C-alpha cells in the first residue's frame, strides 16, 4: 500500500511538472503533504520551481582563485566548512568529501560576492551544504542565491535585529496553543535563543539524519518564510511535559530545549505547524509585538516574491489541506489549544490573510539580556 501511494505521488508530481503552465499548487501540496518530495531526483526538479529559478540559464562559477583572493569572508567560511564533517554522508571517501567542501566554499563566496548587501553568518553553510548534496554545485548556487535574497535575507543583515524579530514570534505561538507552557517559560526567563540555530540553519545543524533535513526543506520551500518558527513552536509544544517537569530556571530549561530529540514525529509536527499557521497567521500574532522595521523583513515583502514568481500562495494550499482533512482528524485545535481565561485575546483577523502581507512587528527582545552561562548555539 505504501509503495502504491508513493508511485501515485510520483506520478502526480511529474504530471504537475509537465503541465503547461506548471501546476504550482500541486507541487506545493506534494512538498507539504506526507513524505514530501520523496527523492533527491524529484527535489532537483521541484525545488527550482518553488524558488522560481530558471534551470535553463544557470551561471558558471568564477575561477576559485578569483573568488578567494582578498575576500573578507573567506577565512570564516573556511573554518565553518572544515567543521562540517558530520553534514556529509557517513562513509563518504575523504577525497570526495574534501572536493565537496571546496565547492561549498565557492558557492558561499560567489553568492556573497554577487550580493554585497548580504552578510555571512555562522550556520549559513549548514543550509548551503544541504542544497549542494541534493542538486550539485551549479544548481545549488542559483537556488541558494534566490533563497538568500528572499527567505534567508533577514538573517543576512549586518545586525541580528531582524533575526531577533522573527524569534519573537515563537512565544506568541506557544501562548496561543498552551498558555501554561508559555507562562512557565516566561517565569524561567529562558528567552528564545535556544531556537536560534534551529531557525537560521532551517534545522540543518541540529538534525543528524539527512532525510529529516531535506524533508523539512521541502516543507519550508513550499511555505511562507516564517514557517520555520512555527515548526520550532510545535517542537516545544510536543515536549510540553518535559518542559513543565523541568526546574523553572533559565539554565535548566535552556539546556533541555537546546538538546533537540532526533526521534521526533516529523510528519505529525509538519502537519501541526501548517495548521497553526492557518489558525494563527502572522498578522494575528503581530498584535503582541510593537511594530518596528516591518518593511525590512522578508516575511513582510514575501508577496513581492510571490507575485513575481506567479505561483499559488502556500497559505492557500495549507488552508485547503486543513479544510479537506477527514472529520476524524479534525481535532487539532481542540486538542492543541486550551481555553483561555482572564487573558488578553487577539482579535481574529480571518484566514484570508494575504501571504506575506502579515504586519510583522518587533516585541521586546528576549535576546537583549546576556545569559550567564555558555549558550552553545553551535556545539
Amino acid at each position: 500500500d505504501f509503495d502504491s501511494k508513493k508511485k501515485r505521488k510520483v506520478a502526480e508530481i511529474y504530471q504537475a511538472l509537465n503541465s503547461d503552465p506548471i501546476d504550482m499548487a500541486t507541487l506545493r501540496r506534494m512538498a507539504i503533504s506526507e513524505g514530501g518530495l520523496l527523492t533527491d531526483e524529484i527535489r532537483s526538479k521541484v525545488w527550482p520551481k518553488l524558488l522560481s529559478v530558471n534551470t535553463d540559464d544557470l551561471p558558471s562559477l568564477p575561477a576559485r582563485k578569483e573568488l578567494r583572493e582578498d575576500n573578507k569572508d573567506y577565512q570564516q567560511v573556511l573554518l565553518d566548512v572544515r567543521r562540517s564533517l558530520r553534514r556529509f554522508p557517513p562513509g563518504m571517501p575523504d577525497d570526495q568529501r574534501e572536493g565537496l567542501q571546496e565547492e561549498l566554499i565557492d558557492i558561499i563566496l560567489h553568492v556573497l560576492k554577487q550580493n554585497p548587501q548580504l552578510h555571512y553568518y555562522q550556520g549559513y553553510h549548514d543550509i548551503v551544504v544541504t542544497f549542494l548534496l541534493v542538486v550539485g554545485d551549479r544548481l545549488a548556487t542559483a537556488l541558494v542565491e534566490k533563497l538568500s535574497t528572499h527567505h534567508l535575507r533577514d538573517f543576512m543583515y549586518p545586525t541580528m535585529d531582524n533575526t531577533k524579530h522573527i524569534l519573537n514570534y515563537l512565544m506568541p505561538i506557544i501562548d496561543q496553543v498552551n498558555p501554561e507552557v508559555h507562562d512557565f517559560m516566561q517565569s524561567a526567563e529562558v528567552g528564545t535563543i535556544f531556537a536560534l540555530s534551529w531557525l537560521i540553519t532551517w534545522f540543518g545543524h541540529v538534525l543528524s539524519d539527512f532525510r529529516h533535513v531535506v524533508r523539512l526543506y521541502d516543507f519550508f520551500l513550499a511555505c511562507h518564510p516564517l514557517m520555520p518558527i512555527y515548526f520550532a513552536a510545535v517542537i516545544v509544544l510536543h515536549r510540553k511535559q518535559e518542559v513543565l517537569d523541568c526546574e523553572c530556571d533559565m539554565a535548566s530549561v535552556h539546556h533541555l530545549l537546546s538538546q533537540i530529540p532526533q526521534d521526533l514525529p516529523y510528519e505529525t509536527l509538519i502537519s501541526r505547524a501548517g495548521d497553526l499557521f492557518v489558525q494563527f497567521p502572522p498578522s494575528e500574532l503581530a498584535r503582541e509585538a510593537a511594530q518596528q522595521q516591518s518593511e525590512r523583513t522578508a516575511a513582510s515583502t514575501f508577496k513581492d516574491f510571490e507575485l513575481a514568481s506567479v505561483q499559488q500562495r502556500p497559505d492557500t494550499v495549507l488552508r485547503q489541506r486543513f479544510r479537506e482533512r477527514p472529520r476524524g482528524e479534525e481535532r487539532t485545535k481542540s486538542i492543541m489549544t486550551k481555553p483561555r481565561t482572564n487573558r488578553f485575546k487577539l482579535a481574529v483577523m480571518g484566514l484570508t490573510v494575504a501571504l506575506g502581507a502579515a504586519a510583522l512587528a518587533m516585541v521586546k527582545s528576549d535576546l537583549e539580556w546576556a545569559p550567564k552561562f555558555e549558550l552553545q548555539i553551535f556545539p
Side-chain angles (χ1 to χ4, degrees), residues 341-359:
T341 57
N342 300 319
R343 301 180 62 84
F344 175 70
K345 301 188 75 171
L346 297 176
V348 177
M349 300 183 72
L351 297 181
T352 56
V353 57
L355 179 68

Side-chain angles (χ1 to χ4, degrees), residues 59-64 67 103 106-108 110-111 137-138 141:
S60 298
L61 287 175
R64 181 162 290 171
L67 275 175
E103 291 176 1
D106 290 344
I107 294 171
I108 294 171
H110 174 73
V111 171
D137 62 336
R138 233 181 132 201
T141 303

Side-chain angles (χ1 to χ4, degrees), residues 19 23 38 47 88 118 150 163 168-169 198 218 245 256 260 307 309 320 330 336 347 374:
S19 64
D23 186 351
L38 302 173
W47 282 4
F88 294 89
L118 300 178
H150 291 86
T163 303
N168 283 330
Y169 275 78
W198 305 358
D218 293 341
D245 289 343
L256 171 72
I260 190 169
L307 292 173
S309 60
Q320 182 70 16
E330 208 169 90
M336 293 184 64
E374 187 177 355

Side-chain angles (χ1 to χ4, degrees), residues 34-247:
E34 184 176 1
L37 296 173
L38 302 173
T39 70
D40 287 351
E41 180 183 357
I42 293 175
R43 290 184 178 100
S44 67
K45 294 177 170 61
V46 176
W47 282 4
K49 307 304 179 187
L50 295 177
L51 286 170
S52 294
V53 169
N54 182 4
T55 56
D56 297 327
D57 187 26
L58 295 176
S60 298
L61 287 175
R64 181 162 290 171
K65 183 178 179 182
E66 179 187 338
L67 275 175
R68 302 185 182 193
E69 271 188 352
D70 301 321
N71 191 303
K72 64 181 177 61
D73 296 302
Y74 174 59
Q75 288 302 323
Q76 184 60 55
V77 172
L78 178 64
L79 288 173
D80 289 345
V81 168
R82 282 178 175 170
R83 288 195 294 259
S84 65
L85 297 182
R86 68 187 185 88
R87 292 302 315 279
F88 294 89
M92 176 180 282
D94 288 346
D95 57 344
Q96 184 182 354
R97 174 184 50 74
E98 289 166 4
L100 287 170
Q101 286 179 304
E102 294 300 315
E103 291 176 1
L104 177 57
I105 294 171
D106 290 344
I107 294 171
I108 294 171
L109 295 181
H110 174 73
V111 171
L112 295 173
K113 184 176 181 179
Q114 292 297 113
N115 301 273
Q117 78 278 13
L118 300 178
H119 295 260
Y120 178 77
Y121 64 87
Q122 189 179 10
Y124 180 68
H125 69 290
D126 285 300
I127 289 182
V128 180
V129 72
T130 302
F131 283 88
L132 173 61
L133 291 173
V134 172
V135 303
D137 62 336
R138 233 181 132 201
L139 181 52
T141 303
L143 297 184
V144 167
E145 182 166 6
K146 177 59 76 70
L147 192 73
S148 300
T149 54
H150 291 86
H151 294 66
L152 304 180
R153 192 180 75 225
D154 293 322
F155 310 141
M156 304 189 77
Y157 279 97
T159 71
M160 284 187 63
D161 287 349
N162 284 5
T163 303
K164 292 187 290 185
H165 160 84
I166 294 172
L167 280 168
N168 283 330
Y169 275 78
L170 180 66
M171 295 305 291
I173 298 169
I174 293 171
D175 192 27
Q176 286 292 326
V177 178
N178 193 316
E180 184 182 8
V181 171
H182 170 271
D183 293 349
F184 181 90
M185 292 174 66
Q186 292 288 74
S187 297
E189 299 183 336
V190 68
T192 56
I193 202 167
F194 66 85
L196 177 61
S197 65
W198 305 358
L199 180 68
I200 65 177
T201 70
W202 276 13
F203 296 85
H205 182 79
V206 293
L207 297 180
S208 58
D209 193 325
F210 191 70
R211 294 172 304 167
H212 298 150
V213 175
V214 293
R215 172 65 187 102
L216 285 180
Y217 279 39
D218 293 341
F219 179 48
F220 295 153
L221 287 170
C223 292
H224 190 283
L226 282 180
M227 190 57 78
I229 203 67
Y230 281 81
F231 191 78
V234 298
I235 290 179
V236 175
L237 292 163
H238 174 70
R239 305 182 69 194
K240 60 186 177 184
Q241 199 55 54
E242 292 178 78
V243 173
L244 295 174
D245 289 343
C246 190
E247 290 292 327

Side-chain angles (χ1 to χ4, degrees), residues 303-321:
K303 192 169 179 60
D304 299 336
F305 173 54
E306 173 210 354
L307 292 173
S309 60
V310 198
Q311 298 176 1
Q312 176 165 333
R313 297 195 296 267
D315 61 336
T316 304
V317 176
L318 288 169
R319 288 200 301 271
Q320 182 70 16
R321 182 182 63 81

Side-chain angles (χ1 to χ4, degrees), residues 227-292:
M227 190 57 78
I229 203 67
Y230 281 81
F231 191 78
V234 298
I235 290 179
V236 175
L237 292 163
H238 174 70
R239 305 182 69 194
K240 60 186 177 184
Q241 199 55 54
E242 292 178 78
V243 173
L244 295 174
D245 289 343
C246 190
E247 290 292 327
C248 190
D249 64 75
M250 182 175 66
S252 299
V253 180
H254 175 86
H255 178 74
L256 171 72
L257 290 175
S258 61
Q259 306 299 311
I260 190 169
Q262 298 297 311
D263 59 346
L264 293 168
Y266 293 95
E267 294 299 336
T268 299
L269 297 184
I270 285 170
S271 179
R272 287 179 178 173
D275 292 344
L276 288 183
F277 183 88
V278 172
Q279 294 175 57
F280 311 113
S283 58
E284 188 172 314
L285 299 176
R287 288 290 195 88
E288 296 189 16
Q291 187 169 349
Q292 293 179 28

